Amino acid sequence: MRAYIVESRRESSIMLEIRNLHATVDGREILNGIDLIVRPGEVHAIMGPNGSGKSTLANVIAGREGYLVTEGAIHFDGKNLLDMAPETRACEGLFLAFQYPVEIPGVANLYFLKAAVNAVRKYRGEPPVDAMDFWDLVHERMELVKMDESMLKRSVNEGFSGGEKKRNEVFQMAVLQPRFAVLDETDSGLDIDALKVVADGVNALRSPERGFLVITHYQRLLDYIVPDHVHVLFNGRIVRSGGKELALELEEQGYALYNEEPGRARRAAA
Amino acid sequence: MTDSTQTLERLATSDYKYGFVTDIEQDTVPPGLDEAVIRLISAKKQEPDWLLEWRLVAFRHWLTQQEPQWAHVHYPKIDYQALSYYSAPKKKTDGPKSLDEIDPELRRTYEKLGIPLAEQAILAGVAVDAVFDSVSVATSYKGKLAELGIVFCSFSEAVREHPELVRQYLGSVVPYRDNYFATLNSAVFSDGSFVYIPPGVRCPMGLSTYFRINASNTGQFERTLIIAAEGASVSYLEGCTAPQRDENQLHAAVVELIALDNATIKYSTVQNWYPGDAEGKGGIYNFVTKRGLCKGRDSKISWTQVETGSAITWKYPSCILRGENSVGEFYSVALTRDYQQADTGTKMIHIGKNTRSTIVSKGISAGHGQNAYRGLVKILPTAENARNHSQCDSLLMGDQCGAHTFPYIDVQNPSAQVEHEASTSKISEDQLFYCQQRGISMEDAVSLIVNGFCKEVFKELPMEFAVEAQKLIELKLEGSVG
């Protein structure tokens, strides 16, 4: 009886629930039955070699066109995520930090962010954000990722360096304050200083109410964003799950255990 | 076809919101064009002999001309004998003395357009010379402008009140023999606007004319003449909408600008004429000749246009940079969707020393829209140290539309510097998804991206016009309503 109660309370606190997820891209099956549960406050890391389906998983969760779910389900706070348009998912509190953030010429970063904030507020039935409140929030969050004020006036990601783009993603996340964030290889292309800044930003946003899914090829990022759970994705399936020590084990052994070509695994470990 | 392509197409095929016909008695000349018709037009307007003679000379020249074929547009042959060349709203004996006296039906037309005349003038501080078909029916703020010596009136009135100015400058920038449509206009022009800013006067408000084409089968042949004397400056706003029609309506306007020493003329247009239905039926043919002469040293003429309407747009607002250190600018957004065709651009003719010109052209094509930029930069041997920078960007929405760029560069002085940049891009699914992932709906994302694309041009518009232009573009790309 007691065990049942505990179990039911745990069920009710599930934030993201992925069941037997299969997905295809251009008719090719990329995800082969993924099961994953994330609870509020948890940071899950998804690791895996290139082509294992990491980014596909991120895109399916966010609802990108061209990623077709053929089987299985994703629930977010008990709601069927797959029924929702991408913008509805965002308004429900889902955020994706893009691996390759796109440029939008002529649209100032600050203007874009305000449009996003107000879209979410409208969805919630709230009035548009007060200009002064927004300005204060933006400035507070800028410090979090050590972003220069000039980047607010520049067009979204236009002419940004790789590091600036990733920093901008984390900055947007900090302003939008989603309840669940997927970071798709946010560490790729970053030098160690930029990596630390990005990781500090993410860590500052960690809270008991917020969940994270951190997707990465390398263990390095996980030195700074320490996960609660690590999953190894291989051929579209989670082949192993464990605690943060699993990341270190992968660091030593590479993905060679999972049949990746040896050369790439060695580079990964280097 | 992908979902987002479909959405783009749906967004690009929304209904024209300003299609309605005002029921006012028209005083119309029967269709057809010969010298008798021209004499009739001139007589109805009680014009002096020299103007009638000018019209007749133009008409005789027009008979020897061929309709130009070089533009990247296609349309059935126009039967010029089937058009009616004069139409004026019938007026009370004396004509309106204030806005209150204007035909209520006419007022409602403007109100439907969201331009309540009186309010517009008061709230925006804009003096409105409203052109309803061919005769100007309302002129406001005249007194205030008159105190400064500014003349802002209908063309017919200018012929009566300021014949010396009209005679001096009419045809001085666009001669009657300039091109087929300009020549036709010279022969049959009905009315238009006249502006004269005296030396040293900065016009304290934007001057604005709202054009409407209303009478069925009536070609509109507006004639605008703006003169800024030494040290004067003026900002002129032209905005257009037209009621929905089945027949194609020909519009061949001529606009001439003259800037003397140290004078500045800023001419802004937002054009939203009926573009035809989703199959391309109906819509306005807009064959316009607009040209400015920087006659004096340190003078400046700046054209800004937002072209969203018409079935066919054939339009090249140009600058002749004769005065030393004079500056010409052309900022343009042209949007074509459904079966609209636009062939637009500019000519910058550098004659004086140290003359500079800037061209920024943004073309947006959606549906089956065809959008061409055609521009000429000509540096004559006398133009020492001339500079030009041209930038032509095209944005494609969907996979049935087209963008074309025809830059002509003719440099005859080795000290010139001419730069040309061009780009073509699509609204990418990546951009749309990025916006959507931040909570922004597809339609809002399209508006956001398109407005970003047009920003360099919008910022050149006067504030109230910039807001209107942005709304207009959003409206044009909005699909779900109606």
Side-chain angles (χ1 to χ4, degrees):
Chain A
M1 187 65 188
R2 197 171 162 189
Y4 169 73
I5 290 165
V6 170
E7 188 59 35
S8 114
R9 189 181 296 154
R10 285 188 59 181
E11 282 296 326
S12 71
S13 70
I14 286 176
M15 182 171 248
L16 185 81
E17 181 184 25
I18 301 178
R19 290 275 182 227
N20 190 32
L21 184 69
H22 290 251
T24 61
V25 178
D26 294 332
R28 224 157 31 95
E29 184 152 64
I30 308 288
L31 300 182
N32 282 308
I34 288 187
D35 293 288
L36 182 69
I37 286 178
V38 180
R39 295 185 165 78
E42 291 180 347
V43 174
H44 288 243
I46 301 268
M47 299 185 70
N50 291 332
S52 58
K54 299 191 299 290
S55 284
T56 299
L57 178 60
N59 284 314
V60 167
I61 292 172
R64 191 182 202 121
E65 200 173 297
Y67 293 78
L68 189 66
V69 174
T70 51
E71 211 184 321
I74 306 178
H75 284 90
F76 184 51
D77 285 338
K79 296 179 191 165
N80 184 353
L81 198 68
L82 299 177
D83 275 355
M84 298 177 199
E87 60 268 35
T88 310
R89 300 181 197 202
C91 291
E92 285 281 337
L94 178 81
F95 183 90
L96 172 64
F98 284 69
Q99 184 179 2
Y100 303 109
V102 298
E103 301 183 354
I104 309 179
V107 179
N109 222 4
L110 187 67
Y111 183 80
F112 176 75
L113 205 48
K114 199 171 178 181
V117 166
N118 282 332
V120 175
R121 289 178 69 94
K122 189 177 169 192
Y123 180 80
R124 294 190 193 137
E126 295 167 5
V129 66
D130 174 80
M132 290 312 290
D133 291 350
F134 183 66
W135 191 243
D136 290 345
L137 174 69
V138 160
H139 274 80
E140 183 201 322
R141 298 294 154 148
M142 254 167 32
E143 308 214 336
L144 212 60
V145 288
K146 299 187 170 56
M147 211 170 85
D148 192 77
E149 197 172 316
S150 67
M151 282 174 72
L152 296 177
K153 289 179 188 141
R154 287 166 63 185
S155 296
V156 178
N157 293 320
E158 197 181 38
F160 285 24
S161 70
E164 283 174 331
K165 283 183 182 172
K166 296 301 176 73
R167 206 180 288 193
N168 195 28
E169 292 294 289
V170 177
F171 168 62
Q172 291 183 26
M173 177 168 79
V175 172
L176 285 165
Q177 306 177 65
R179 285 182 308 113
F180 183 74
V182 180
L183 278 62
D184 188 7
E185 307 220 15
T186 298
D187 52 330
S188 67
L190 293 189
D191 61 31
I192 194 71
D193 293 328
L195 185 76
K196 278 183 189 163
V197 169
V198 164
D200 285 349
V202 173
N203 286 328
L205 292 173
R206 286 177 79 157
S207 83
E209 294 81 39
R210 194 168 280 140
F212 287 91
L213 192 62
V214 180
I215 292 172
T216 180
H217 190 103
Y218 305 114
Q219 189 272 336
R220 193 177 65 156
L221 177 66
L222 305 181
D223 286 341
Y224 301 99
I225 304 174
V226 180
D228 302 302
H229 303 274
V230 175
H231 311 277
V232 179
L233 190 64
F234 188 73
N235 277 344
R237 210 187 276 257
I238 290 174
V239 291
R240 228 183 127 190
S241 295
K244 62 187 175 209
E245 64 288 346
L246 179 55
L248 294 168
E249 191 186 315
L250 285 167
E251 166 88 350
E252 280 170 22
Q253 301 177 355
Y255 296 110
L257 282 174
Y258 311 99
N259 287 337
E260 202 208 10
E261 53 169 295
R264 181 172 288 166
R266 236 181 272 124
R267 274 205 305 281
Chain B
M1 204 192 302
T2 61
D3 279 355
S4 61
T5 310
Q6 279 170 350
T7 306
L8 285 179
E9 299 220 330
R10 184 173 56 75
L11 291 178
T13 51
S14 64
D15 290 341
Y16 183 76
K17 291 193 172 170
Y18 297 140
F20 49 83
V21 176
T22 307
D23 193 12
I24 289 182
E25 263 187 278
Q26 299 272 351
D27 177 9
T28 302
V29 169
L33 182 58
D34 55 25
E35 290 201 5
V37 168
I38 289 166
R39 287 178 195 280
L40 186 65
I41 293 171
S42 193
K44 271 185 181 287
K45 302 173 78 64
Q46 299 165 349
E47 287 177 351
D49 289 345
W50 64 265
L51 191 52
L52 172 62
E53 196 50 41
W54 196 75
R55 286 177 182 275
L56 290 172
V57 168
F59 176 68
R60 286 166 202 148
H61 184 68
W62 182 71
L63 293 174
T64 69
Q65 285 177 305
Q66 297 292 318
E67 199 172 324
Q69 302 294 330
W70 44 264
H72 193 80
V73 295
H74 305 279
Y75 55 92
K77 201 153 175 51
I78 299 169
D79 181 358
Y80 291 91
Q81 294 304 332
L83 296 173
S84 170
Y85 287 85
Y86 184 82
S87 152
K90 280 190 176 154
K91 49 187 174 183
K92 296 177 204 164
T93 42
D94 276 320
K97 290 199 174 58
S98 74
L99 294 179
D100 300 333
E101 288 180 29
I102 290 176
D103 190 325
E105 188 69 20
L106 200 58
R107 298 289 293 275
R108 272 196 290 279
T109 303
Y110 289 113
E111 274 156 32
K112 274 191 217 165
L113 290 171
I115 315 157
L117 204 52
E119 269 181 47
Q120 176 84 26
I122 295 159
L123 292 177
V126 169
V128 179
D129 175 24
V131 172
F132 183 85
D133 272 30
S134 310
V135 169
S136 299
V137 291
T139 303
S140 53
Y141 269 88
K142 234 173 154 178
K144 197 170 171 185
L145 294 171
E147 282 171 27
L148 293 163
I150 293 171
V151 181
F152 177 38
C153 62
S154 73
F155 205 93
S156 317
E157 193 180 332
V159 170
R160 285 196 305 273
E161 308 290 328
H162 307 277
E164 71 297 337
L165 282 173
V166 176
R167 202 167 178 180
Q168 184 182 352
Y169 289 107
L170 177 68
S172 69
V173 187
V174 181
Y176 71 83
R177 47 173 61 235
D178 191 79
N179 68 74
Y180 188 80
F181 300 113
T183 305
L184 178 62
N185 176 290
S186 300
V188 302
F189 75 88
S190 40
D191 211 333
S193 295
F194 178 84
V195 176
Y196 175 78
I197 315 289
V201 173
R202 309 180 72 84
C203 186
M205 64 189 85
L207 302 180
S208 171
T209 299
Y210 286 88
F211 289 84
R212 272 183 76 78
I213 302 175
N214 191 271
S216 164
N217 268 334
T218 306
Q220 278 259 311
F221 303 94
E222 300 292 342
R223 189 100 200 177
T224 300
L225 181 55
I226 300 177
I227 302 140
E230 293 80 0
S233 73
V234 63
S235 173
Y236 190 86
L237 295 73
E238 173 198 9
C240 317
T241 56
Q244 194 149 355
R245 282 289 173 194
D246 258 353
E247 310 95 293
N248 290 301
Q249 291 176 295
L250 176 64
H251 188 93
V254 171
V255 175
E256 296 178 280
L257 312 182
I258 296 119
L260 303 183
D261 287 358
N262 291 299
T264 298
I265 301 175
K266 189 172 176 59
Y267 193 105
S268 311
T269 307
V270 173
Q271 188 262 114
N272 180 28
W273 282 332
Y274 181 54
D277 64 15
E279 276 77 49
K281 192 169 181 251
I284 307 289
Y285 292 175
N286 188 23
F287 303 137
V288 181
T289 306
K290 289 184 168 175
R291 196 174 300 152
L293 172 62
C294 282
K295 196 171 182 182
R297 53 181 303 138
D298 299 297
S299 58
K300 179 178 173 182
I301 289 179
S302 182
W303 298 99
T304 306
Q305 61 173 20
V306 177
E307 299 285 324
T308 66
S310 299
I312 299 174
T313 301
W314 180 98
K315 184 183 174 193
Y316 315 91
S318 304
C319 297
I320 300 168
L321 304 170
R322 187 185 292 163
E324 278 183 32
N325 312 319
S326 61
V327 176
E329 293 175 339
F330 174 73
Y331 299 94
S332 168
V333 167
L335 183 150
T336 55
R337 49 162 214 175
D338 297 334
Y339 285 86
Q340 276 179 280
Q341 307 171 63
D343 193 307
T344 183
T346 186
K347 288 190 278 187
M348 292 291 174
I349 314 294
H350 292 253
I351 301 172
K353 288 178 187 159
N354 304 314
T355 46
R356 283 169 290 144
S357 62
T358 303
I359 298 170
V360 178
S361 164
K362 304 276 181 178
I364 304 162
S365 316
H368 291 81
Q370 293 293 324
N371 212 319
Y373 168 80
R374 188 183 302 277
L376 169 67
V377 176
K378 187 167 187 169
I379 314 282
L380 291 169
T382 48
E384 285 290 324
N385 295 314
R387 301 278 179 275
N388 163 267
H389 181 81
S390 303
Q391 186 191 329
C392 303
D393 299 320
S394 304
L395 187 68
L396 303 174
M397 296 171 68
D399 43 19
Q400 306 286 312
C401 53
H404 316 269
T405 304
F406 305 99
Y408 304 88
I409 297 172
D410 177 2
V411 177
Q412 300 173 21
N413 185 311
S415 65
Q417 273 184 27
V418 177
E419 297 164 16
H420 181 89
E421 286 177 48
S423 76
T424 301
S425 56
K426 278 192 159 190
I427 291 189
S428 70
E429 291 182 7
D430 286 350
Q431 283 175 324
L432 289 175
F433 179 63
Y434 190 78
C435 295
Q436 287 177 284
Q437 210 300 307
R438 297 300 185 251
I440 300 166
S441 70
M442 175 91 89
E443 287 194 11
D444 289 347
V446 170
S447 291
L448 191 81
I449 293 164
V450 170
N451 277 323
F453 176 75
C454 301
K455 192 178 173 186
E456 277 175 277
V457 174
F458 286 171
K459 73 177 169 54
E460 293 298 325
L461 289 169
M463 181 71 91
E464 66 274 21
F465 240 31
V467 174
E468 205 172 292
Q470 191 162 335
K471 274 192 197 144
L472 184 58
I473 296 280
E474 277 170 25
L475 195 85
K476 283 280 170 182
L477 296 172
E478 187 180 88
S480 46
V481 194

